[in-house]
Amino acid sequence: MKTILVTGGAGFIGSHLVRHWVKKYPDTKVVNLDKLTYAGNLENLKDVEDMPNYVFEKGDIVDCERVSGLFEKYRFDGVIHLAAESHVDRSISDPMEFIRTNIVGTVTLLNAARAAWNGDFAGKLFYHVSTDEVYGSLGDEGYFTETTRYDPRSPYSASKAASDHLVRAYHHTYGLPVVISNCSNNYGGYQFPEKLIPLVINNIRNRKPLPVYGKGLNVRDWLYVGDHVQAIDLIFHKGQVGETYNVGGHNEKRNIEIVKLLCLLVDRKLGRPQGDSETLITYVQDRAGHDLRYAIDSSKLVDRLGWNPSVTFEQGMERTVDWYLANEEWLRGVTSGDYLHYYTRQYGEK
Ligand code: NAD
Ligand code: DAU
């Protein structure tokens, strides 16, 4: 039986990945190491928690002893590293935690893998999950490719860029078998409602203002989370060691388009008059250093590994809205307590 370590498996993308892996690969033991920060939630994994090939280990990726202990205990064949502080706005108000988890945590894992594998790299792989934000911001034209120069512009993206460099450095210096993917904005169920899409759906439900930064003209390239997970599976099994793959959905949308579409979908599904929720749209102060546009060229992944997104933007958004409306209890659970303090700090109101 193979054993893999997934870090950050209780978060948004991590929980989709763990669920996918545990069900699709019954002969692989999946060990999920997660600190359970505000963004990690074991409720996200209820349906797999009793599966025989799934194990949860609570812990911090910065804790060297804990991480090496797990490598000794389970003798991992592979690592899929997702654990991170992931929210740009939080990195602007409090960068240190991003440096700790995203940089020091990644090096801690690299050191543990290197020590445990001890030069015997056959069948081993360290997969680092990263973001398109490392490439910086585009103007009205062009796409990020794998050779675009790194130009991170927020503490979050700078910390992710540093972690990418360190992963590559361990490959070049020590021969550690690594692969990296840089993905665009994900959306889907189980995303913490500090991020645009779940935050707006939740606020529409509760008839609260829908905060749009600046003029709402910034562009993101949206990918359904299940298609990101499929890409990670494909790259893990078929990707070339030492390579980087960009992952994106070719769904460029301005933020205001996303917010208006969500108003339309939620109003329709809740039987509210058309246009009702658009009155909640509120333009607020822009994010500091707000990147204008992200757009991914994923042709390397498509041409070399045959990946293609399976869900259209329309299907994905419909599924996502349905998920949040059907999981009000989950939303209520994660938007109580600390979330209210965060919300007041960020938006100046409850
Ligand atoms: P998330 O914030 O939803 O989840 C992060 C998870 O990591 C949580 O479960 C949290 O408890 C855990 N974690 C945080 N610090 C930890 C630590 N020190 N030790 C152990 N566990 C810790 O994040 P997400 O949106 O699912 O993103 C997952 C990964 O994918 C991140 O590396 C992120 O940079 C990358 N990524 C995200 C997106 C996106 O759109 N969400 C796009 C591209 C890449
Ligand atoms: O591009 C990949 C990245 O996508 C990931 O690496 C990050 O982990 C993930 O959080 C996401 O970053 P963004 O900053 O693009 O996502 P967010 O949902 O925070 O914001 C999306 C856009 O919406 C962005 O232009 C800011 C804007 N926005 C966001 C919020 C939370 C608003 O206008 N209002 C809001 O309240």
Side-chain angles (χ1 to χ4, degrees), residues 63-84:
D63 181 344
C64 306
E65 269 182 45
R66 179 83 175 108
V67 171
S68 321
L70 291 176
F71 270 86
E72 236 167 76
K73 179 173 171 188
Y74 293 104
R75 308 203 171 275
F76 299 120
D77 299 292
V79 176
I80 307 180
H81 173 36
L82 297 107

Short mmCIF file of all heavy atoms in Angstrom, two decimals, residues 63-84:
data_model
loop_
_atom_site.label_atom_id
_atom_site.label_comp_id
_atom_site.label_asym_id
_atom_site.label_seq_id
_atom_site.Cartn_x
_atom_site.Cartn_y
_atom_site.Cartn_z
N ASP A 63 6.44 22.73 12.72
CA ASP A 63 6.96 21.95 13.85
C ASP A 63 7.83 20.80 13.31
O ASP A 63 7.33 19.74 12.92
CB ASP A 63 5.74 21.43 14.65
CG ASP A 63 6.13 20.63 15.87
OD1 ASP A 63 7.29 20.20 15.98
OD2 ASP A 63 5.23 20.43 16.72
N CYS A 64 9.17 21.00 13.34
CA CYS A 64 10.11 20.03 12.73
C CYS A 64 9.94 18.64 13.31
O CYS A 64 9.90 17.65 12.58
CB CYS A 64 11.56 20.41 12.97
SG CYS A 64 11.98 22.04 12.47
N GLU A 65 9.85 18.57 14.64
CA GLU A 65 9.79 17.24 15.28
C GLU A 65 8.53 16.50 14.88
O GLU A 65 8.55 15.31 14.60
CB GLU A 65 9.80 17.40 16.79
CG GLU A 65 11.20 17.36 17.36
CD GLU A 65 11.18 17.47 18.86
OE1 GLU A 65 10.36 16.79 19.52
OE2 GLU A 65 11.97 18.26 19.38
N ARG A 66 7.43 17.25 14.87
CA ARG A 66 6.13 16.64 14.52
C ARG A 66 6.17 16.13 13.07
O ARG A 66 5.75 15.01 12.79
CB ARG A 66 5.04 17.71 14.68
CG ARG A 66 3.65 17.24 14.32
CD ARG A 66 3.00 16.52 15.50
NE ARG A 66 1.61 16.17 15.21
CZ ARG A 66 1.20 14.93 14.98
NH1 ARG A 66 2.03 13.92 15.02
NH2 ARG A 66 -0.08 14.70 14.72
N VAL A 67 6.72 16.95 12.20
CA VAL A 67 6.74 16.58 10.78
C VAL A 67 7.69 15.39 10.55
O VAL A 67 7.32 14.41 9.91
CB VAL A 67 7.13 17.81 9.91
CG1 VAL A 67 7.36 17.41 8.47
CG2 VAL A 67 6.04 18.89 10.00
N SER A 68 8.90 15.43 11.13
CA SER A 68 9.84 14.30 10.95
C SER A 68 9.26 13.04 11.57
O SER A 68 9.41 11.94 11.02
CB SER A 68 11.19 14.54 11.61
OG SER A 68 11.59 15.84 11.45
N GLY A 69 8.58 13.20 12.70
CA GLY A 69 7.96 12.05 13.37
C GLY A 69 6.95 11.37 12.45
O GLY A 69 6.86 10.14 12.40
N LEU A 70 6.20 12.18 11.71
CA LEU A 70 5.20 11.60 10.81
C LEU A 70 5.89 10.88 9.64
O LEU A 70 5.43 9.81 9.20
CB LEU A 70 4.26 12.69 10.28
CG LEU A 70 3.31 13.30 11.31
CD1 LEU A 70 2.50 14.43 10.70
CD2 LEU A 70 2.37 12.23 11.88
N PHE A 71 6.98 11.44 9.14
CA PHE A 71 7.73 10.76 8.07
C PHE A 71 8.25 9.40 8.56
O PHE A 71 8.23 8.42 7.84
CB PHE A 71 8.88 11.64 7.56
CG PHE A 71 8.48 12.53 6.42
CD1 PHE A 71 7.91 13.78 6.65
CD2 PHE A 71 8.66 12.12 5.09
CE1 PHE A 71 7.53 14.60 5.61
CE2 PHE A 71 8.28 12.94 4.04
CZ PHE A 71 7.72 14.19 4.30
N GLU A 72 8.71 9.38 9.84
CA GLU A 72 9.20 8.11 10.40
C GLU A 72 8.08 7.11 10.57
O GLU A 72 8.20 5.94 10.24
CB GLU A 72 9.81 8.40 11.77
CG GLU A 72 11.26 7.95 11.90
CD GLU A 72 11.85 8.56 13.15
OE1 GLU A 72 11.53 8.06 14.24
OE2 GLU A 72 12.61 9.55 13.01
N LYS A 73 6.95 7.63 11.08
CA LYS A 73 5.82 6.74 11.39
C LYS A 73 5.22 6.13 10.12
O LYS A 73 4.90 4.95 10.10
CB LYS A 73 4.76 7.57 12.14
CG LYS A 73 3.51 6.82 12.54
CD LYS A 73 2.61 7.70 13.43
CE LYS A 73 1.25 7.10 13.68
NZ LYS A 73 0.36 8.04 14.38
N TYR A 74 5.04 6.96 9.08
CA TYR A 74 4.28 6.48 7.91
C TYR A 74 5.13 6.16 6.68
O TYR A 74 4.64 5.58 5.73
CB TYR A 74 3.23 7.54 7.51
CG TYR A 74 2.13 7.74 8.51
CD1 TYR A 74 2.11 8.86 9.33
CD2 TYR A 74 1.10 6.81 8.65
CE1 TYR A 74 1.09 9.07 10.26
CE2 TYR A 74 0.08 7.00 9.56
CZ TYR A 74 0.07 8.13 10.36
OH TYR A 74 -0.95 8.32 11.27
N ARG A 75 6.41 6.56 6.66
CA ARG A 75 7.30 6.32 5.51
C ARG A 75 6.61 6.71 4.18
O ARG A 75 6.37 5.89 3.31
CB ARG A 75 7.74 4.85 5.46
CG ARG A 75 8.30 4.39 6.77
CD ARG A 75 9.23 3.21 6.71
NE ARG A 75 9.87 3.00 7.99
CZ ARG A 75 10.97 3.62 8.40
NH1 ARG A 75 11.60 4.45 7.62
NH2 ARG A 75 11.47 3.42 9.60
N PHE A 76 6.30 7.99 4.08
CA PHE A 76 5.54 8.49 2.93
C PHE A 76 6.23 8.23 1.59
O PHE A 76 7.44 8.42 1.47
CB PHE A 76 5.32 10.01 3.06
CG PHE A 76 4.55 10.40 4.28
CD1 PHE A 76 5.10 11.23 5.25
CD2 PHE A 76 3.25 9.91 4.50
CE1 PHE A 76 4.40 11.59 6.39
CE2 PHE A 76 2.54 10.26 5.65
CZ PHE A 76 3.11 11.11 6.59
N ASP A 77 5.42 7.86 0.59
CA ASP A 77 5.95 7.75 -0.77
C ASP A 77 5.85 9.09 -1.48
O ASP A 77 6.58 9.36 -2.43
CB ASP A 77 5.12 6.71 -1.55
CG ASP A 77 5.22 5.35 -0.89
OD1 ASP A 77 6.31 4.77 -0.91
OD2 ASP A 77 4.20 4.89 -0.32
N GLY A 78 4.91 9.90 -1.05
CA GLY A 78 4.73 11.19 -1.72
C GLY A 78 4.12 12.21 -0.77
O GLY A 78 3.56 11.86 0.28
N VAL A 79 4.28 13.47 -1.16
CA VAL A 79 3.70 14.58 -0.39
C VAL A 79 2.92 15.45 -1.37
O VAL A 79 3.41 15.74 -2.47
CB VAL A 79 4.81 15.44 0.25
CG1 VAL A 79 4.22 16.65 0.98
CG2 VAL A 79 5.67 14.61 1.20
N ILE A 80 1.71 15.84 -0.98
CA ILE A 80 1.00 16.88 -1.74
C ILE A 80 0.79 18.02 -0.74
O ILE A 80 0.03 17.90 0.22
CB ILE A 80 -0.33 16.40 -2.33
CG1 ILE A 80 -0.11 15.12 -3.17
CG2 ILE A 80 -0.95 17.50 -3.22
CD1 ILE A 80 -1.38 14.56 -3.80
N HIS A 81 1.51 19.10 -0.98
CA HIS A 81 1.61 20.17 0.02
C HIS A 81 0.69 21.34 -0.34
O HIS A 81 0.96 22.10 -1.26
CB HIS A 81 3.06 20.63 0.09
CG HIS A 81 3.30 21.83 0.94
ND1 HIS A 81 2.61 22.07 2.11
CD2 HIS A 81 4.16 22.88 0.80
CE1 HIS A 81 3.03 23.21 2.63
NE2 HIS A 81 3.96 23.73 1.86
N LEU A 82 -0.42 21.43 0.43
CA LEU A 82 -1.37 22.53 0.21
C LEU A 82 -1.44 23.48 1.39
O LEU A 82 -1.97 24.59 1.25
CB LEU A 82 -2.78 22.00 -0.04
CG LEU A 82 -3.01 21.14 -1.27
CD1 LEU A 82 -3.19 19.69 -0.86
CD2 LEU A 82 -4.22 21.61 -2.05
N ALA A 83 -1.00 23.05 2.57
CA ALA A 83 -1.19 23.88 3.77
C ALA A 83 -0.57 25.26 3.55
O ALA A 83 0.57 25.38 3.13
CB ALA A 83 -0.55 23.22 4.98
N ALA A 84 -1.35 26.28 3.82
CA ALA A 84 -0.86 27.65 3.65
C ALA A 84 -1.83 28.60 4.31
O ALA A 84 -2.99 28.28 4.55
CB ALA A 84 -0.75 27.99 2.16
#
